[in-house]
Amino acid sequence: MSTAEIIARCEALYDDLDFTASRQWKEADPDRKVIAYMPVYVPREIIHAAGMLPLGIMGGGDQLEVIHGDAYYQSYICRIPRSTIELGLSKRMDFVDGMLFPSICDVIRNLSGMWKLMFPGKYVRYFDVPQNYRDDVGGNYYVNELNELREGLEELSGRKITDDALRASIEVYNENRQLAMDVYAMRSREPWKVPSADVYLLMRAGLVLPVEEHNQMLRDYLAAAEKVDAPKRDNCRVVINGSFCEQPPLNLIKSIELSGCYIVDDDYMLVHRWLQKPVSTSGDPMENLALAFLHESASTAAKYDTQEEDKGMFLLEQVRKNAAEGVIFAAPSFCDPALLERPMLADRCSEHNVPYISFKYAENSGQMQPIREQAGTFADSIKLWS
């Protein structure tokens, strides 16, 4: 298949707010169950080992009119919880058997409570993560959290989740993470061959497909992209930061690249790249997942930094590793984690002479011309004066 054919499939999955692919997976076997999850990260290996399908929910995007969701939240918060409620109340998620709400912010924590009230027959869990990264403190705490999730899914499925099943699932997700990183690495090397809109849609497809199918899709894309003959442009290389939860409209990503910027790294859908190295498949699988989170996970505003001097170092490493020339801080309006961290990250960029700009968006933003002009001016200024 060509890259265009693969991306056409991905875009159809992206546009489908009824989650037809996930529905069809469940309908193929009456014993199958689907567990949905919100950003930024959940241990999908445990869901997979239970024989269930992890389904990533990124809100309703710019295609969904929010009617009922506005009644549950005030206007001065981000849009993703309101559009997620709309997905639930409009029965687009009526096939989902459970929902996980990771520890991101107060809004998502409150959404987990609302979900329990709205859908009392469903499995709902607020999934917390450690803020202490010592093995004997945060590690023990997180192993307990993982085991509670394991027990909850066992009760829901009526089957034991064995250590061997967990190791097999860790192995298939290790492959998925490596393939996702390979796609990102190829874009960083040759961004004219691998448009960021392609990368984004590939990763979105992985939220609704079985991981084995997504792995094959990524392998097919990597092989097809090697054959792409596209002109190399004199674009500015940038890193996107702040878009780890509520996602930007696809047109925003396209507009940034049309403005003269190559996006060479980002924090979209970090669940595919949250664990930066392979998780061990020997020994206790729960302990291995916990240690990977403590010591090998990505950094984002939704994750606690124990030392002030560590703030911003992950971003600076992204800039260095990808030979980026600047940073674009793009965060959803009213995103407390991203917007509270932005000044600290901006200071870190200034200390290391990394140019940056910032703007805000909503998942249903429609007017892209101002963003395109701002990003274009930023790219021009870097080319002219940096």
Side-chain angles (χ1 to χ4, degrees):
M1 296 177 68
S2 67
T3 57
E5 291 171 318
I6 296 168
I7 296 306
R9 168 95 197 285
C10 294
E11 191 156 14
L13 293 169
Y14 169 80
D15 288 335
D16 182 10
L17 292 181
D18 291 314
F19 307 104
T20 304
S22 301
R23 285 180 183 272
Q24 290 174 344
W25 179 89
K26 182 178 179 179
E27 290 167 358
D29 185 335
D31 293 329
R32 287 180 172 178
K33 296 190 184 300
V34 176
I35 302 295
Y37 61 90
M38 298 285 289
V40 174
Y41 166 77
V42 298
R44 297 179 294 174
E45 293 88 344
I46 301 177
I47 303 171
H48 182 268
M52 302 177 182
L53 177 69
L55 170 64
I57 300 298
M58 297 284 151
D62 58 356
Q63 305 170 67
L64 183 68
E65 182 182 6
V66 174
I67 300 171
H68 303 94
D70 284 337
Y72 287 80
Y73 275 108
Q74 65 272 35
S75 59
Y76 49 89
I77 62 160
C78 55
R79 190 175 186 269
I80 186 172
R82 295 199 289 270
S83 64
T84 301
I85 287 176
E86 194 72 30
L87 289 172
L89 293 179
S90 61
K91 300 191 182 303
R92 290 177 170 89
M93 295 174 60
D94 58 0
F95 68 103
V96 171
D97 301 283
M99 187 81 167
L100 299 181
F101 296 88
S103 175
I104 309 170
C105 63
D106 289 344
V107 171
I108 300 303
R109 180 178 60 189
N110 293 341
L111 181 58
S112 70
M114 292 182 184
W115 209 264
K116 288 181 180 180
L117 295 174
M118 291 187 297
F119 306 105
K122 302 290 186 180
Y123 174 78
V124 178
R125 180 171 179 80
Y126 177 72
F127 186 74
D128 214 343
V129 295
Q131 295 186 0
N132 180 304
Y133 301 117
R134 279 176 44 182
D135 293 356
D136 62 334
V137 181
N140 290 341
Y141 168 82
Y142 194 48
V143 167
N144 289 335
E145 282 289 309
L146 294 174
N147 278 319
E148 287 186 15
L149 175 60
R150 179 182 190 171
E151 292 163 6
L153 295 180
E154 285 177 338
E155 184 177 349
L156 180 64
S157 67
R159 59 184 274 186
K160 288 293 283 186
I161 302 174
T162 66
D163 284 356
D164 284 343
L166 283 165
R167 293 186 190 101
S169 294
I170 287 172
E171 189 169 352
V172 75
Y173 274 102
N174 278 344
E175 183 181 12
N176 184 257
R177 282 184 285 269
Q178 186 57 57
L179 287 166
M181 291 177 186
D182 289 346
V183 170
Y184 268 71
M186 187 176 189
R187 179 185 63 174
S188 181
R189 290 192 311 271
E190 301 174 291
W192 54 93
K193 281 188 173 184
V194 186
S196 284
D198 282 16
V199 176
Y200 184 82
L201 290 169
L202 277 169
M203 300 305 147
R204 283 294 290 256
L207 301 180
V208 301
L209 295 175
V211 62
E212 296 84 359
E213 187 176 346
H214 190 228
N215 285 351
Q216 187 58 52
M217 176 182 281
L218 295 176
R219 284 191 288 267
D220 291 344
Y221 183 86
L222 285 165
E226 291 286 357
K227 303 171 186 174
V228 169
D229 183 18
K232 180 180 178 180
R233 305 187 187 282
D234 187 29
N235 285 2
C236 171
R237 298 170 62 89
V238 300
V239 172
I240 301 291
N241 179 274
S243 306
F244 50 84
C245 186
E246 180 177 322
Q247 296 296 287
L250 184 61
N251 281 336
L252 187 150
I253 298 169
K254 293 178 179 179
S255 294
I256 290 174
E257 292 216 310
L258 286 171
S259 72
C261 295
Y262 282 137
I263 299 173
V264 293
D265 206 356
D266 58 61
D267 54 3
Y268 306 137
M269 289 164 292
L270 281 172
V271 68
H272 295 304
R273 298 165 291 123
W274 181 256
L275 302 181
Q276 303 277 289
K277 294 183 180 179
V279 180
S280 174
T281 54
S282 61
D284 184 345
M286 295 307 224
E287 186 174 326
N288 293 339
L289 286 170
L291 292 176
F293 181 93
L294 293 182
H295 305 301
E296 307 293 352
S297 55
S299 178
T300 183
K303 179 186 173 186
Y304 182 69
D305 285 325
T306 57
Q307 297 179 318
E308 184 179 352
E309 55 266 29
D310 291 338
K311 184 66 70 178
M313 300 311 294
F314 186 84
L315 174 60
L316 291 176
E317 178 60 18
Q318 286 179 292
V319 171
R320 185 201 65 78
K321 184 174 69 174
N322 294 285
E325 299 166 275
V327 173
I328 295 180
F329 292 109
S333 297
F334 303 108
C335 178
D336 285 349
L339 295 175
L340 286 170
E341 187 178 63
R342 179 186 287 178
M344 293 180 277
L345 297 182
D347 285 347
R348 193 68 82 190
C349 286
S350 296
E351 291 167 7
H352 291 80
N353 299 314
V354 178
Y356 65 88
I357 59 167
S358 61
F359 58 77
K360 293 182 286 186
Y361 65 84
E363 62 178 6
N364 65 334
S365 294
Q367 178 55 264
M368 297 302 159
Q369 189 61 29
I371 289 173
R372 184 171 175 177
E373 290 174 357
Q374 186 178 359
T377 303
F378 180 57
D380 290 345
S381 67
I382 287 175
K383 290 298 182 185
L384 288 170
W385 295 301
S386 287

